[in-house]
Amino acid sequence: MIELRNVSKWYGSFQVLTDCSTSIQKGEVVVICGPSGSGKSTLIKTINALEPFQQGEIIVDGVHLHDPKTNLPQLRARVGMVFQHFELFPHLNVQENLTLAQMKVLGRTADEANAHGLKYLDRVGLLAQKDKFPGQLSGGQQQRVAIARALSMDPIVMLFDEPTSALDPEMVGEVLDVMVKLAQEGMTMCCVTHEMGFARKVSHRVIFMDQGRIVEDCSKAEFFDRPEERSPRAKEFLSKIL
Ligand code: ADP
Ligand code: MG
């Protein structure tokens, strides 16, 4: 579904990604972790073509991102992305948040978009909140709306960038529950998160990044159960979060 081949990226003279290679299969759930500043957000933004890269190749569902002929907006429409800070439109109510991109980008009619959006709103348990504005919802509810909004676009893969790290602790569980359900339904997911409970429960693979490099790319079992085989940097990280 996703393939990265020797991807490198610079911000000016600062190299933020160095020679990153990995692939994510359909239905796979991959957790990306690593210290702050290691390039996790940058890596998933390149997958969604929100950030350009200067070397290497990224292929998403057969579409070559490095090919100048690729229609990037069309690709982005097929990749769901959920950020740390929800990024709902504050001046639109929940229902409007859910339907806007479906109509504008996918060309759905208002009726189609509403039916689709409300189906996913129901799936995240928030149908009753459809007329509220984001500011009237808790952080956990806003993030669930953001997930429903991304799902309404029928994405081929969902990318999450620390979706629970801006939330009050009591709201983390409700968002993780939605993500666990999605994973169990077979959605292809790539999640930057430090929620190791989530990683242990549903991930297939763990990628550990440090200083712009993919230092570990291994099965969940290898990552958690055989820490002695991990790199010193990953061991140190694991010792702090487990
Ligand atoms: P992470 O998500 O792992 O915390 P990021 O991908 O956000 O890391 O950032 C990786 C590095 O790139 C950091 O050193 C950060 O300061 C730098 N960086 C991120 N965005 C930019 C930018 N737009 N311009 C310059 N440097 C950036
Ligand atoms: Mg980040």
Side-chain angles (χ1 to χ4, degrees):
M1 181 67 73
I2 298 174
E3 184 156 5
L4 278 78
R5 296 183 190 145
N6 309 102
V7 173
S8 294
K9 172 178 173 65
W10 287 259
Y11 285 121
S13 61
F14 172 68
Q15 185 161 11
V16 58
L17 297 177
T18 304
D19 209 19
C20 294
S21 299
T22 190
S23 58
I24 298 172
Q25 313 301 315
K26 190 168 163 41
E28 211 175 14
V29 177
V30 176
V31 161
I32 303 179
C33 59
S36 178
S38 56
K40 306 178 299 292
S41 296
T42 305
L43 188 78
I44 66 165
K45 279 192 236 160
T46 61
I47 295 174
N48 200 11
L50 291 175
E51 283 284 352
F53 53 99
Q54 287 78 36
Q55 265 178 25
E57 299 181 355
I58 301 181
I59 304 159
V60 179
D61 198 30
V63 178
H64 291 245
L65 269 58
H66 45 277
D67 182 346
K69 292 197 289 287
T70 294
N71 182 334
L72 293 179
Q74 199 180 337
L75 175 91
R76 280 184 206 116
R78 305 172 63 210
V79 177
M81 176 108 197
V82 175
F83 300 92
Q84 187 173 355
H85 294 287
F86 333 136
E87 313 212 5
L88 297 172
F89 304 114
H91 58 291
L92 299 181
N93 70 23
V94 167
Q95 184 162 353
E96 291 161 344
N97 262 283
L98 289 167
T99 53
L100 184 69
Q102 291 188 64
M103 296 190 287
K104 283 211 158 165
V105 180
L106 300 181
R108 288 182 178 153
T109 65
D111 282 350
E112 285 168 345
N114 275 321
H116 217 69
L118 295 179
K119 179 179 84 184
Y120 285 106
L121 193 61
D122 194 22
R123 290 254 297 263
V124 302
L126 292 174
L127 194 53
Q129 315 295 332
K130 70 182 173 56
D131 298 319
K132 293 221 174 118
F133 285 85
Q136 297 172 300
L137 301 177
S138 72
Q141 290 175 326
Q142 289 184 57
Q143 193 60 302
R144 283 149 66 198
V145 171
I147 294 172
R149 181 175 64 175
L151 292 172
S152 301
M153 300 292 283
D154 298 324
I156 54 169
V157 55
M158 285 283 286
L159 308 178
F160 292 85
D161 191 359
E162 303 207 33
T164 59
S165 49
L167 297 175
D168 291 336
E170 72 269 23
M171 291 169 189
V172 169
E174 66 191 65
V175 172
L176 289 177
D177 286 347
V178 168
M179 293 171 63
V180 166
K181 208 163 77 178
L182 256 187
Q184 289 171 342
E185 287 166 4
M187 174 62 79
T188 309
M189 294 166 65
C190 183
C191 313
V192 176
T193 181
H194 291 156
E195 293 292 338
M196 292 298 130
F198 171 81
R200 277 179 185 270
K201 192 165 179 180
V202 296
S203 79
H204 301 104
R205 253 169 54 226
V206 178
I207 288 176
F208 174 79
M209 293 188 70
D210 188 32
Q211 298 184 357
R213 291 174 191 272
I214 293 178
V215 177
E216 301 279 354
D217 185 348
C218 57
S219 72
K220 167 173 68 176
E222 283 173 301
F223 191 75
F224 290 113
D225 302 337
R226 294 203 283 283
E228 67 282 359
E229 292 171 18
R230 307 279 67 82
S231 65
R233 203 59 195 82
K235 261 190 251 178
E236 186 194 334
F237 180 79
L238 276 168
S239 73
K240 283 186 190 140
I241 56 167
L242 291 182

